[in-house]
Amino acid sequence: MWYLIGICIILIIIGLIVNIVNIRKRVNEYNFANEYYEKFQRLVSDVFEKKNIKNKEYAWLMSNCDKMQYILGEAGIISYTQFNKYYKNIPILLNIMNEITSYINDPFVGDDEIKMVNWCQNAFLRKTGILNEYIQNEPKKLINPFYNLSSGIRFILLIPIGILNSIGLISNDGKSKIGNNIVIRMLSGIISLLTILSVIITIVVGWNDFLRIVKNILNI
């Protein structure tokens, strides 16, 4: 009996730690996204209004561009049609940052370029909104042992994926997609439920007695 309770407690503690780490990570991402967006807005203003770029700020934005694009995730990926050509799954921030310096001396910068910048700005607003909602709601779940148990089990299930990611066989995007996959979430939820039921059964009637009751019901 006690080993089941011990395993359950350990999984809850693991899940609690994982959830706290994830919240801190999202807080850092939120703060970084706001800082990047503020500097990006100044860059856009300098390029389109002043036809100038501050080299130091541009260098910071460019050096952190891939990091910011990763944080944006799906919010930063767009598909669109331009000049009768279809562009699919374009990382909007990377695309803008690679092109923005050319806008300074380009006399033909027009609505299409401004529209791309607007899409990029919308991606920032969407992502910061998602992160803000997560930061507001997720800490409330930390007092829920069942939620922490499910998170602990999901962490255990994803250990092989983490190993494959650490040796370069799976990308960070791939790891994130697998971790957020509904199948993984459902599996961790089912295992959590079975674990809780096992503990309850063990405490209330004992596992052997429970099996005997089931056999009697099924006439086995």
Side-chain angles (χ1 to χ4, degrees), residues 48 51 82-83 102-114:
F48 286 98
K51 295 296 181 180
Q82 187 177 37
F83 303 125
S102 65
Y103 296 163
I104 295 177
N105 299 316
D106 188 351
F108 300 107
V109 173
D111 293 340
D112 288 330
E113 287 76 14
I114 294 174

Side-chain angles (χ1 to χ4, degrees), residues 10-176:
I10 291 172
L11 289 172
I12 289 173
I13 293 173
I14 291 174
L16 178 62
I17 294 171
V18 168
N19 288 330
I20 291 173
V21 170
N22 285 337
I23 291 172
R24 293 186 63 181
K25 181 179 178 181
R26 297 298 176 264
V27 169
N28 291 334
E29 288 179 352
Y30 178 78
N31 292 334
F32 180 78
N34 279 325
E35 180 184 7
Y36 196 101
Y37 182 54
E38 182 180 340
K39 293 183 178 182
F40 179 79
Q41 288 287 76
R42 288 201 296 266
L43 176 67
V44 170
S45 177
D46 288 342
V47 169
F48 286 98
E49 296 177 12
K50 302 176 183 178
K51 295 296 181 180
N52 185 36
I53 281 184
K54 296 176 182 177
N55 291 331
K56 185 176 180 181
E57 195 158 272
Y58 171 75
W60 186 90
L61 287 167
M62 183 57 77
S63 62
N64 288 283
C65 187
D66 289 276
K67 177 182 176 180
M68 189 65 245
Q69 181 67 59
Y70 175 74
I71 292 174
L72 287 175
E74 291 185 2
I77 303 295
I78 65 168
S79 299
Y80 64 95
T81 301
Q82 187 177 37
F83 303 125
N84 296 321
K85 187 175 181 180
Y86 182 66
Y87 298 88
K88 185 178 181 181
N89 296 331
I90 303 298
I92 184 66
L93 179 61
L94 295 179
N95 190 63
I96 288 294
M97 289 303 298
N98 286 331
E99 297 290 336
I100 199 163
T101 55
S102 65
Y103 296 163
I104 295 177
N105 299 316
D106 188 351
F108 300 107
V109 173
D111 293 340
D112 288 330
E113 287 76 14
I114 294 174
K115 182 169 62 176
M116 292 285 288
V117 172
N118 288 336
W119 285 342
C120 192
Q121 292 169 330
N122 290 338
F124 276 105
L125 295 176
R126 285 178 58 203
K127 189 60 182 185
T128 52
I130 293 170
L131 289 172
N132 183 61
E133 183 178 5
Y134 181 94
I135 293 167
Q136 293 294 323
N137 295 326
E138 199 67 14
K140 302 174 186 177
K141 300 178 182 178
L142 294 179
I143 60 175
N144 186 340
F146 303 110
Y147 180 73
N148 291 323
L149 176 61
S150 180
S151 297
I153 291 173
R154 186 165 66 249
F155 174 80
I156 299 298
L157 291 175
L158 291 174
I159 286 178
I161 305 301
I163 294 174
L164 292 176
N165 173 254
S166 66
I167 60 179
L169 295 180
I170 295 179
S171 66
N172 289 330
D173 285 338
K175 178 185 175 183
S176 178

